[in-house]
Amino acid sequence: MLILDQQTRNQISDLSEACGRYWELRGIAQSYRNEMQLELEHHFIQAAMDGKSPE
C-alpha cells in the first residue's frame, strides 16, 4: 500500500477545497457539493496512488 506524502495530501485538499468554493459560487446545494467534493478527493487519491501528480 502506497502512503501519500504530506505535500500531495495538501495539494489534493487545496484543489478539492477550491472546487468546493467554485461550486458554492455557482449556487450548487451544500449536500451536492459535499458529495462531489468527496468523490473528487477519491479520484485524486486514486490517481496519486497510481503515480500521477494532482496537476
Side-chain angles (χ1 to χ4, degrees), residues 3 5-8 17 20 26 30 32-33 41 44:
I3 297 178
D5 62 53
Q6 187 63 43
Q7 180 181 359
T8 301
E17 289 174 15
R26 305 274 50 91
Q30 180 72 44
Y32 291 120
R33 290 194 318 261
E41 286 179 11
F44 275 132

Side-chain angles (χ1 to χ4, degrees), residues 1-2 5 14 21-22 26 35-36 38 53-55:
M1 173 185 229
L2 177 70
D5 62 53
D14 291 346
R21 288 189 299 274
Y22 174 79
R26 305 274 50 91
E35 183 178 333
M36 290 167 40
L38 284 173
S53 72
E55 291 85 27

Side-chain angles (χ1 to χ4, degrees), residues 17-48:
E17 289 174 15
C19 289
R21 288 189 299 274
Y22 174 79
W23 295 328
E24 182 178 14
L25 290 173
R26 305 274 50 91
I28 297 173
Q30 180 72 44
S31 61
Y32 291 120
R33 290 194 318 261
N34 291 344
E35 183 178 333
M36 290 167 40
Q37 198 166 347
L38 284 173
E39 185 175 345
L40 179 63
E41 286 179 11
H42 175 77
H43 287 295
F44 275 132
I45 290 168
Q46 186 63 49

